Amino acid sequence: MVEQDLRSTPLAAVHESLGATFTDFAGWRMPVRYDSDLAEHRAVRERAGIFDLSHMGEVHLRGPEAGAALDHALAGKMSSMGQGRAKYSLLLTEDGGVIDDVITYRLAEDHFLVIPNASNVAAAVQALTERAQGFDVEVDDASERTALIAVQGPLSEQILREALLGEDSGVAGLSAEDLTGMRNYRFATGTYRGEELLIARTGYTGEDGFELYVGTALAADLWQQLAAAGGDRLTPCGLACRDTLRLEAGMPLYGNELSRDLHPAQAGMAKVVALASKDDFVGRAGVEDADLSGRPVLVGLVAEGRRAARSGAEVRDAAGAAVGEVTSGALSPTLGHPIAMAYVAAAAAAPGTELVVDVRGKDLPVRVAEMPFYRRA
């Protein structure tokens, strides 16, 4: 795809002014880095980073049966979730594969917001629309008119308080307690310059942080306001460091660790599927009937040195037999040694198992390790 065919976020001019290097991600022209992947990664771990995630989708479900419709459509039980809360869930195929992993927010008794991944927005909207048939609910794809900015890192709350709680901030309906008292997977709503603003304590980095949803017309102003308040404490961050951050945190990436050909249990996500707490839903029969005895499972791998395994690398046992494949890998900036996620045969999945990964034709000894690789203090 040539660059002029790529979609741009409302923050494209901001990224260009900051000297970003761009890449094609799911058909979007996205900043992959601004300066140094390592510096951006460390900024999030030590201070705070700001990300443009406006390529993600935003799908509203409104109506008296919105909760019931989502219980039918998703693997988790959404109808029992309290207002002001968020939940991670899966959108499954009929046979139990994963169409997408999503975050769902309950804005009101009859109003939910579902966030699909950028590469799956069309598929998620189609599935949610089809599965809402027969329920008293309206499905509204607001992706084109919504921007998403993330501020992640140990100083994120402090920066948000300074940026959004002053008299001249343009923010209304949001108190200091809304931010300081907000627990993980909770959110608060208010307005920014008269338009709706949603701030959630969610993220994809393994650090404390927030995600801010605002109308596209105000995205650049909000970014600049956050950047001004953050100063040297807040670093613009691209997709490259977001990937190493989520890998250290053991968070799956759709297309790598999740796909239509993989069942939740293979990825260690059996508990995400609400088999015990709700009745029939799309994918239930596929999950219950699946024979996973011969299927690979997701594990973490660690190694010594500086060479890192990459996606697609073959994993072998001590006898040289192929037992799996790496899905994500990198030299961990925080830990200083190579880490990876891989699908391997169940017989090779026990923590401590010694294996070998092919890294550009050379053997790299690895050891199966529990995830996450990194957990914030």
Side-chain angles (χ1 to χ4, degrees), residues 118-164:
S119 60
N120 293 324
V121 173
V125 171
Q126 179 180 350
L128 290 170
T129 302
E130 291 174 351
R131 297 173 189 188
Q133 298 300 314
F135 293 92
D136 188 0
V137 62
E138 174 191 348
V139 179
D140 172 24
D141 180 8
S143 306
E144 295 284 348
R145 58 182 190 272
T146 309
L148 172 54
I149 298 171
V151 178
Q152 302 280 299
L155 300 184
S156 57
E157 181 188 302
Q158 177 183 338
I159 292 169
L160 258 65
R161 288 202 313 266
E162 295 173 13
L164 304 180

Short mmCIF file of all heavy atoms in Angstrom, two decimals, residues 118-164:
data_model
loop_
_atom_site.label_atom_id
_atom_site.label_comp_id
_atom_site.label_asym_id
_atom_site.label_seq_id
_atom_site.Cartn_x
_atom_site.Cartn_y
_atom_site.Cartn_z
N ALA A 118 -7.44 -1.83 15.80
CA ALA A 118 -7.49 -1.12 14.52
C ALA A 118 -7.68 -2.06 13.34
O ALA A 118 -8.45 -1.77 12.43
CB ALA A 118 -6.21 -0.30 14.34
N SER A 119 -6.98 -3.19 13.36
CA SER A 119 -7.06 -4.11 12.23
C SER A 119 -8.38 -4.84 12.15
O SER A 119 -8.69 -5.47 11.13
CB SER A 119 -5.92 -5.12 12.31
OG SER A 119 -6.00 -5.86 13.52
N ASN A 120 -9.18 -4.76 13.22
CA ASN A 120 -10.41 -5.55 13.28
C ASN A 120 -11.68 -4.71 13.41
O ASN A 120 -12.74 -5.27 13.71
CB ASN A 120 -10.34 -6.52 14.46
CG ASN A 120 -9.30 -7.59 14.27
OD1 ASN A 120 -9.09 -8.06 13.16
ND2 ASN A 120 -8.62 -7.96 15.35
N VAL A 121 -11.58 -3.41 13.21
CA VAL A 121 -12.76 -2.56 13.41
C VAL A 121 -13.92 -3.01 12.53
O VAL A 121 -15.05 -3.19 13.01
CB VAL A 121 -12.43 -1.08 13.16
CG1 VAL A 121 -13.70 -0.23 13.21
CG2 VAL A 121 -11.43 -0.57 14.19
N ALA A 122 -13.68 -3.19 11.25
CA ALA A 122 -14.76 -3.57 10.34
C ALA A 122 -15.37 -4.91 10.73
O ALA A 122 -16.60 -5.08 10.75
CB ALA A 122 -14.25 -3.62 8.90
N ALA A 123 -14.52 -5.89 11.06
CA ALA A 123 -15.01 -7.20 11.45
C ALA A 123 -15.79 -7.14 12.75
O ALA A 123 -16.83 -7.81 12.91
CB ALA A 123 -13.85 -8.17 11.58
N ALA A 124 -15.32 -6.33 13.69
CA ALA A 124 -16.00 -6.21 14.98
C ALA A 124 -17.35 -5.52 14.82
O ALA A 124 -18.35 -5.95 15.41
CB ALA A 124 -15.13 -5.45 15.98
N VAL A 125 -17.39 -4.45 14.04
CA VAL A 125 -18.66 -3.74 13.82
C VAL A 125 -19.67 -4.67 13.14
O VAL A 125 -20.84 -4.72 13.52
CB VAL A 125 -18.43 -2.47 12.97
CG1 VAL A 125 -19.76 -1.86 12.55
CG2 VAL A 125 -17.61 -1.45 13.75
N GLN A 126 -19.21 -5.41 12.15
CA GLN A 126 -20.11 -6.34 11.46
C GLN A 126 -20.64 -7.39 12.42
O GLN A 126 -21.85 -7.68 12.44
CB GLN A 126 -19.37 -7.02 10.30
CG GLN A 126 -20.25 -8.02 9.54
CD GLN A 126 -19.52 -8.69 8.39
OE1 GLN A 126 -18.42 -8.30 8.03
NE2 GLN A 126 -20.13 -9.70 7.80
N ALA A 127 -19.76 -7.97 13.22
CA ALA A 127 -20.19 -9.02 14.15
C ALA A 127 -21.14 -8.47 15.21
O ALA A 127 -22.17 -9.09 15.51
CB ALA A 127 -18.97 -9.66 14.82
N LEU A 128 -20.82 -7.31 15.76
CA LEU A 128 -21.69 -6.72 16.78
C LEU A 128 -23.05 -6.35 16.21
O LEU A 128 -24.08 -6.55 16.86
CB LEU A 128 -21.02 -5.49 17.40
CG LEU A 128 -19.80 -5.78 18.29
CD1 LEU A 128 -19.08 -4.48 18.62
CD2 LEU A 128 -20.21 -6.50 19.56
N THR A 129 -23.07 -5.84 14.99
CA THR A 129 -24.33 -5.47 14.35
C THR A 129 -25.19 -6.69 14.09
O THR A 129 -26.39 -6.70 14.37
CB THR A 129 -24.06 -4.71 13.04
OG1 THR A 129 -23.27 -3.54 13.32
CG2 THR A 129 -25.36 -4.29 12.38
N GLU A 130 -24.57 -7.73 13.56
CA GLU A 130 -25.32 -8.96 13.27
C GLU A 130 -25.83 -9.60 14.56
O GLU A 130 -26.98 -10.07 14.62
CB GLU A 130 -24.42 -9.94 12.52
CG GLU A 130 -24.09 -9.50 11.10
CD GLU A 130 -23.08 -10.41 10.42
OE1 GLU A 130 -22.52 -11.29 11.12
OE2 GLU A 130 -22.86 -10.24 9.20
N ARG A 131 -25.02 -9.60 15.60
CA ARG A 131 -25.41 -10.25 16.85
C ARG A 131 -26.40 -9.43 17.66
O ARG A 131 -27.02 -9.95 18.60
CB ARG A 131 -24.15 -10.58 17.66
CG ARG A 131 -23.25 -11.57 16.95
CD ARG A 131 -21.93 -11.81 17.63
NE ARG A 131 -21.05 -12.60 16.76
CZ ARG A 131 -19.88 -13.10 17.11
NH1 ARG A 131 -19.43 -12.90 18.35
NH2 ARG A 131 -19.16 -13.81 16.26
N ALA A 132 -26.55 -8.15 17.31
CA ALA A 132 -27.53 -7.30 18.00
C ALA A 132 -28.93 -7.46 17.42
O ALA A 132 -29.90 -6.94 18.00
CB ALA A 132 -27.09 -5.84 17.91
N GLN A 133 -29.04 -8.17 16.31
CA GLN A 133 -30.35 -8.37 15.71
C GLN A 133 -31.26 -9.12 16.68
O GLN A 133 -30.87 -10.11 17.29
CB GLN A 133 -30.23 -9.17 14.41
CG GLN A 133 -29.41 -8.50 13.33
CD GLN A 133 -29.99 -7.15 12.90
OE1 GLN A 133 -31.19 -7.02 12.67
NE2 GLN A 133 -29.13 -6.15 12.83
N GLY A 134 -32.49 -8.60 16.83
CA GLY A 134 -33.43 -9.21 17.75
C GLY A 134 -33.39 -8.61 19.13
O GLY A 134 -34.26 -8.92 19.97
N PHE A 135 -32.42 -7.75 19.41
CA PHE A 135 -32.34 -7.05 20.69
C PHE A 135 -32.73 -5.58 20.50
O PHE A 135 -32.51 -5.02 19.42
CB PHE A 135 -30.92 -7.12 21.27
CG PHE A 135 -30.48 -8.48 21.68
CD1 PHE A 135 -29.79 -9.31 20.79
CD2 PHE A 135 -30.73 -8.95 22.97
CE1 PHE A 135 -29.38 -10.58 21.17
CE2 PHE A 135 -30.31 -10.22 23.35
CZ PHE A 135 -29.64 -11.04 22.45
N ASP A 136 -33.28 -4.98 21.52
CA ASP A 136 -33.66 -3.57 21.47
C ASP A 136 -32.41 -2.73 21.75
O ASP A 136 -32.18 -2.29 22.88
CB ASP A 136 -34.76 -3.27 22.48
CG ASP A 136 -35.34 -1.86 22.33
OD1 ASP A 136 -34.86 -1.12 21.44
OD2 ASP A 136 -36.25 -1.51 23.11
N VAL A 137 -31.59 -2.55 20.73
CA VAL A 137 -30.32 -1.86 20.88
C VAL A 137 -29.90 -1.28 19.54
O VAL A 137 -30.21 -1.84 18.48
CB VAL A 137 -29.24 -2.83 21.42
CG1 VAL A 137 -29.00 -3.97 20.44
CG2 VAL A 137 -27.93 -2.10 21.70
N GLU A 138 -29.19 -0.16 19.60
CA GLU A 138 -28.64 0.48 18.40
C GLU A 138 -27.12 0.39 18.45
O GLU A 138 -26.49 0.70 19.46
CB GLU A 138 -29.06 1.95 18.34
CG GLU A 138 -28.41 2.73 17.20
CD GLU A 138 -28.63 4.23 17.32
OE1 GLU A 138 -29.46 4.65 18.14
OE2 GLU A 138 -27.93 4.97 16.59
N VAL A 139 -26.52 -0.05 17.35
CA VAL A 139 -25.06 -0.14 17.23
C VAL A 139 -24.57 1.07 16.43
O VAL A 139 -25.00 1.28 15.30
CB VAL A 139 -24.62 -1.45 16.56
CG1 VAL A 139 -23.11 -1.50 16.42
CG2 VAL A 139 -25.14 -2.65 17.34
N ASP A 140 -23.67 1.85 17.02
CA ASP A 140 -23.19 3.09 16.41
C ASP A 140 -21.67 3.07 16.35
O ASP A 140 -20.98 3.14 17.37
CB ASP A 140 -23.68 4.28 17.26
CG ASP A 140 -23.08 5.61 16.82
OD1 ASP A 140 -22.67 5.73 15.64
OD2 ASP A 140 -23.01 6.54 17.66
N ASP A 141 -21.13 2.96 15.14
CA ASP A 141 -19.67 2.98 14.95
C ASP A 141 -19.21 4.43 14.95
O ASP A 141 -19.40 5.17 13.97
CB ASP A 141 -19.32 2.30 13.63
CG ASP A 141 -17.81 2.29 13.37
OD1 ASP A 141 -17.04 2.67 14.27
OD2 ASP A 141 -17.42 1.90 12.25
N ALA A 142 -18.59 4.84 16.05
CA ALA A 142 -18.13 6.23 16.21
C ALA A 142 -16.64 6.37 15.95
O ALA A 142 -16.04 7.40 16.30
CB ALA A 142 -18.46 6.73 17.61
N SER A 143 -16.02 5.38 15.33
CA SER A 143 -14.56 5.38 15.15
C SER A 143 -14.07 6.59 14.36
O SER A 143 -13.01 7.16 14.68
CB SER A 143 -14.12 4.10 14.45
OG SER A 143 -14.58 2.95 15.13
N GLU A 144 -14.80 6.99 13.34
CA GLU A 144 -14.37 8.10 12.49
C GLU A 144 -14.40 9.45 13.21
O GLU A 144 -13.69 10.38 12.81
CB GLU A 144 -15.25 8.17 11.24
CG GLU A 144 -15.14 6.98 10.32
CD GLU A 144 -13.86 7.00 9.50
OE1 GLU A 144 -13.19 8.05 9.49
OE2 GLU A 144 -13.53 5.96 8.89
N ARG A 145 -15.20 9.56 14.23
CA ARG A 145 -15.34 10.86 14.91
C ARG A 145 -14.74 10.87 16.32
O ARG A 145 -14.96 11.80 17.10
CB ARG A 145 -16.81 11.26 14.97
CG ARG A 145 -17.75 10.30 15.66
CD ARG A 145 -19.19 10.83 15.60
NE ARG A 145 -20.11 10.07 16.43
CZ ARG A 145 -20.79 9.00 16.07
NH1 ARG A 145 -20.64 8.54 14.83
NH2 ARG A 145 -21.61 8.39 16.90
N THR A 146 -13.96 9.84 16.65
CA THR A 146 -13.38 9.73 17.99
C THR A 146 -11.87 9.57 17.90
O THR A 146 -11.37 8.79 17.10
CB THR A 146 -13.97 8.53 18.75
OG1 THR A 146 -15.39 8.57 18.69
CG2 THR A 146 -13.52 8.53 20.20
N ALA A 147 -11.16 10.31 18.74
CA ALA A 147 -9.72 10.19 18.87
C ALA A 147 -9.39 9.57 20.22
O ALA A 147 -10.15 9.73 21.19
CB ALA A 147 -9.04 11.55 18.73
N LEU A 148 -8.26 8.90 20.29
CA LEU A 148 -7.84 8.25 21.54
C LEU A 148 -6.38 8.57 21.79
O LEU A 148 -5.50 8.31 20.96
CB LEU A 148 -8.04 6.73 21.42
CG LEU A 148 -7.49 5.85 22.55
CD1 LEU A 148 -8.01 6.29 23.90
CD2 LEU A 148 -7.82 4.39 22.29
N ILE A 149 -6.12 9.16 22.95
CA ILE A 149 -4.77 9.51 23.39
C ILE A 149 -4.50 8.77 24.69
O ILE A 149 -5.33 8.78 25.60
CB ILE A 149 -4.63 11.03 23.61
CG1 ILE A 149 -4.86 11.79 22.30
CG2 ILE A 149 -3.26 11.37 24.20
CD1 ILE A 149 -4.96 13.30 22.48
N ALA A 150 -3.34 8.13 24.79
CA ALA A 150 -2.96 7.43 26.02
C ALA A 150 -1.78 8.14 26.68
O ALA A 150 -0.84 8.57 25.99
CB ALA A 150 -2.60 5.98 25.73
N VAL A 151 -1.85 8.27 28.00
CA VAL A 151 -0.74 8.76 28.81
C VAL A 151 -0.41 7.64 29.79
O VAL A 151 -1.25 7.27 30.61
CB VAL A 151 -1.08 10.05 29.55
CG1 VAL A 151 0.10 10.50 30.42
CG2 VAL A 151 -1.45 11.16 28.57
N GLN A 152 0.79 7.07 29.66
CA GLN A 152 1.16 5.88 30.42
C GLN A 152 2.47 6.10 31.16
O GLN A 152 3.41 6.67 30.62
CB GLN A 152 1.30 4.69 29.47
CG GLN A 152 0.05 4.37 28.66
CD GLN A 152 -0.97 3.59 29.44
OE1 GLN A 152 -0.71 2.49 29.91
NE2 GLN A 152 -2.15 4.17 29.61
N GLY A 153 2.52 5.61 32.40
CA GLY A 153 3.74 5.71 33.17
C GLY A 153 3.46 6.16 34.58
O GLY A 153 2.37 6.64 34.90
N PRO A 154 4.43 6.03 35.48
CA PRO A 154 4.22 6.34 36.91
C PRO A 154 3.85 7.79 37.20
O PRO A 154 3.26 8.07 38.24
CB PRO A 154 5.55 5.96 37.57
CG PRO A 154 6.53 5.89 36.45
CD PRO A 154 5.78 5.48 35.24
N LEU A 155 4.18 8.71 36.30
CA LEU A 155 3.83 10.12 36.52
C LEU A 155 2.56 10.54 35.78
O LEU A 155 2.23 11.72 35.74
CB LEU A 155 4.99 11.02 36.09
CG LEU A 155 6.32 10.82 36.82
CD1 LEU A 155 7.34 11.86 36.35
CD2 LEU A 155 6.14 10.90 38.34
N SER A 156 1.85 9.57 35.18
CA SER A 156 0.69 9.92 34.34
C SER A 156 -0.40 10.61 35.12
O SER A 156 -0.99 11.59 34.65
CB SER A 156 0.16 8.67 33.65
OG SER A 156 -0.18 7.67 34.58
N GLU A 157 -0.71 10.13 36.32
CA GLU A 157 -1.79 10.77 37.10
C GLU A 157 -1.43 12.21 37.45
O GLU A 157 -2.26 13.12 37.33
CB GLU A 157 -2.06 9.98 38.37
CG GLU A 157 -3.19 10.59 39.20
CD GLU A 157 -3.36 9.94 40.56
OE1 GLU A 157 -3.59 8.71 40.61
OE2 GLU A 157 -3.25 10.66 41.58
N GLN A 158 -0.21 12.43 37.87
CA GLN A 158 0.24 13.78 38.22
C GLN A 158 0.12 14.71 37.02
O GLN A 158 -0.36 15.84 37.13
CB GLN A 158 1.68 13.72 38.71
CG GLN A 158 2.29 15.08 39.05
CD GLN A 158 3.75 14.96 39.46
OE1 GLN A 158 4.21 13.88 39.88
NE2 GLN A 158 4.50 16.04 39.33
N ILE A 159 0.52 14.24 35.85
CA ILE A 159 0.47 15.08 34.65
C ILE A 159 -0.98 15.38 34.27
O ILE A 159 -1.31 16.52 33.92
CB ILE A 159 1.22 14.39 33.50
CG1 ILE A 159 2.72 14.35 33.79
CG2 ILE A 159 0.95 15.09 32.16
CD1 ILE A 159 3.52 13.47 32.87
N LEU A 160 -1.85 14.40 34.35
CA LEU A 160 -3.26 14.64 34.02
C LEU A 160 -3.89 15.63 34.98
O LEU A 160 -4.69 16.48 34.57
CB LEU A 160 -4.04 13.32 34.02
CG LEU A 160 -4.33 12.76 32.62
CD1 LEU A 160 -3.03 12.36 31.92
CD2 LEU A 160 -5.28 11.57 32.69
N ARG A 161 -3.56 15.54 36.25
CA ARG A 161 -4.13 16.49 37.21
C ARG A 161 -3.71 17.91 36.85
O ARG A 161 -4.53 18.84 36.86
CB ARG A 161 -3.65 16.16 38.64
CG ARG A 161 -4.27 14.92 39.23
CD ARG A 161 -4.20 14.95 40.77
NE ARG A 161 -2.88 15.31 41.26
CZ ARG A 161 -1.93 14.43 41.58
NH1 ARG A 161 -2.17 13.12 41.45
NH2 ARG A 161 -0.76 14.83 42.04
N GLU A 162 -2.44 18.08 36.51
CA GLU A 162 -1.95 19.42 36.18
C GLU A 162 -2.53 19.92 34.86
O GLU A 162 -2.78 21.12 34.70
CB GLU A 162 -0.42 19.41 36.11
CG GLU A 162 0.23 19.11 37.46
CD GLU A 162 1.74 18.93 37.35
OE1 GLU A 162 2.29 19.28 36.29
OE2 GLU A 162 2.36 18.43 38.31
N ALA A 163 -2.74 19.01 33.91
CA ALA A 163 -3.21 19.42 32.59
C ALA A 163 -4.71 19.68 32.54
O ALA A 163 -5.17 20.56 31.79
CB ALA A 163 -2.86 18.35 31.57
N LEU A 164 -5.48 18.95 33.34
CA LEU A 164 -6.94 18.94 33.15
C LEU A 164 -7.76 19.54 34.27
O LEU A 164 -8.98 19.72 34.11
CB LEU A 164 -7.40 17.49 32.92
CG LEU A 164 -6.73 16.73 31.78
CD1 LEU A 164 -7.29 15.32 31.69
CD2 LEU A 164 -6.92 17.46 30.45
#
